[in-house]
Amino acid sequence: AKALECKHGLGPAASKVYLRDRGLSLGGYGEFNYKESLSDGDDTYDFVRLVLYAGYKFTDRIVFNSEIEFEHASTGSNDQDGQVSVEQAYLDFFLKDWANVRAGLVLVPVGFVNELHEPPFFHGNERPSVERQIIPTTWRANGLGVFGDVGETLSYRTYVVTSLRAERFSSANIRSGRQNGNVERAKDFSWVGRLDYIPVLGLDFGASIYLGNQGQGDDLVLGATTEDVDAFMQMYEWHAQWHYRGLEIRGLGVYVNLKDTEELSINAGEPIGSDMWGAYGEVAYDLMPWFLPDSEQYLAPWLRYSRYNTQEDVPSGFVADDEQDREDLEVGFSYKPIPKVVIKTEYRYLDAKEGDRPDEFRLGAGFVF
């Protein structure tokens, strides 16, 4: 159905504006879940996010698209992490099938879920750990680039975007270095490129590269002196997925190399990894055709195994934080009474080389419109 068609790397709800003849397009999604933490009693029920898409098709060649997110239901002073954010807002200028221009606040095209993160289209109530801890999903930045399709089998996106701020990196991840479009430091820019190859319907191979200095001119406190560094970062990501009848198989790997980590670690007072990596594999199978062959309902058990380490290598003089050398095993079910609504449940077995990570049970739901 057109309402569930993906365009230009985006999810179906985010793609609605491209399917209109002219004028305003509205869409959105939401998700909420209950988490039972099985050993520390930290149980929560969270309306994680409500997102509104607003787009406008001025002409066949000029399109505006935006995503506005309300996180954790409230932005009151007594509430943790609640905020309203513009996740993306950009103009597309369509020139040719193989070469079009995008400018504004864009999603960085790395991994599966940074661009396509609508809840009915990934398994689990949380986005995969590797795509949050190594790839800092949701990751957006102001920039300019080119995208297009080459024939029926090849698509690409390539942008120059404002870099992260390495001064904010931590032992756990690089997520806190995101600028999110808010008066971004723009001394340093990075290049990101992505290529996807679909040789046959249902089979997708792809890769992305992100390169650039992340220092942004921030002064690092190094004892009695201050200094700014380049903090050149390389991120290499590959992904593949195969859908055949009811079978779904997905895999992703990512490697990050970061320079000037000795200075970054001294400034942060904790080791910042010079090398970080993560990988996961996932398998699911839709059982519903066995029970109701003519139904649009969907019921899939799924399993995901993840390994990731933000402290694979640290600068001399620092000891790696082995709590960041992690392993996740997740099993669950996804049920869709209709394609736009999903009910999810999973059990998460969480482990680390050092320290305790409580296992979790989650039950939740999501929707798009």
Side-chain angles (χ1 to χ4, degrees), residues 75-350:
T75 59
S77 59
N78 295 324
D79 300 295
Q80 292 186 342
D81 300 325
Q83 59 182 336
V84 179
S85 300
V86 177
E87 290 277 297
Q88 54 183 327
Y90 59 84
L91 284 167
D92 280 344
F93 301 90
F94 288 92
L95 308 174
K96 300 285 186 181
D97 287 344
W98 53 271
N100 309 287
V101 176
R102 177 169 291 169
L105 182 62
V106 300
L107 297 174
V108 179
V110 179
F112 283 118
V113 302
N114 197 57
E115 295 175 294
L116 206 169
H117 46 245
E118 295 164 5
F121 311 115
F122 66 90
H123 293 294
N125 287 281
E126 278 206 340
R127 297 165 183 177
S129 297
V130 172
E131 298 201 62
R132 291 183 295 112
Q133 301 302 110
I134 308 297
I135 303 169
T137 300
T138 301
W139 182 11
R140 73 263 200 197
N142 285 303
L144 172 71
V146 179
F147 66 96
D149 299 318
V150 182
E152 298 293 324
T153 61
L154 205 61
S155 67
Y156 75 93
R157 292 179 290 289
T158 180
Y159 310 138
V160 174
V161 297
T162 49
S163 296
L164 303 167
R165 294 181 69 173
E167 186 268 338
R168 299 177 177 177
F169 292 174
S170 70
S171 294
N173 51 51
I174 62 175
R175 290 179 63 82
S176 53
R178 299 175 300 177
Q179 298 206 72
N180 301 332
N182 180 14
V183 194
E184 294 185 337
R185 295 293 294 267
K187 179 182 178 183
D188 290 322
F189 289 82
S190 294
W191 170 78
V192 60
R194 178 192 180 107
L195 194 65
D196 282 285
Y197 175 56
I198 305 175
V200 295
L201 187 65
L203 183 62
D204 177 7
F205 299 97
S208 59
I209 302 173
Y210 175 92
L211 303 171
N213 291 338
Q214 313 300 305
Q216 290 292 12
D218 287 322
D219 286 332
L220 308 181
V221 178
L222 309 177
T225 64
T226 61
E227 181 182 339
D228 66 89
V229 296
D230 291 336
F232 182 75
M233 189 174 94
Q234 308 170 67
M235 177 181 288
Y236 303 96
E237 176 267 340
W238 64 265
H239 55 270
Q241 61 182 345
W242 182 42
H243 290 184
Y244 178 72
R245 297 185 176 176
L247 180 64
E248 305 168 17
I249 298 174
R250 173 177 281 194
L252 178 145
V254 58
Y255 166 75
V256 175
N257 176 263
L258 180 64
K259 304 300 184 185
D260 298 316
T261 53
E262 181 176 352
E263 292 86 347
L264 292 170
S265 299
I266 293 171
N267 178 75
E270 58 182 335
I272 307 300
S274 306
D275 291 304
M276 314 174 199
W277 69 275
Y280 72 86
E282 178 183 286
V283 61
Y285 191 84
D286 181 14
L287 301 174
M288 196 58 73
W290 292 88
F291 304 112
L292 298 172
D294 299 323
S295 173
E296 66 175 359
Q297 296 182 65
Y298 170 98
L299 176 64
W302 61 272
L303 181 146
R304 180 191 302 133
Y305 176 74
S306 307
R307 284 279 286 115
Y308 50 105
N309 187 1
T310 61
Q311 301 275 286
E312 178 67 21
D313 190 30
V314 298
S316 60
F318 287 85
V319 177
D321 178 5
D322 285 337
E323 291 185 3
Q324 308 307 326
D325 186 352
R326 297 185 168 190
E327 182 177 38
D328 300 353
L329 178 63
E330 301 163 275
V331 293
F333 283 87
S334 297
Y335 170 62
K336 301 179 189 178
I338 60 173
K340 296 181 181 180
V341 173
V342 65
I343 299 168
K344 304 180 181 185
T345 184
E346 76 261 18
Y347 192 100
R348 308 181 70 219
Y349 301 88
L350 307 178

Side-chain angles (χ1 to χ4, degrees), residues 21-35:
D21 294 327
R22 286 288 188 278
L24 181 66
S25 171
L26 295 175
Y29 73 86
E31 56 185 324
F32 52 92
N33 69 75
Y34 164 76
K35 180 194 77 171

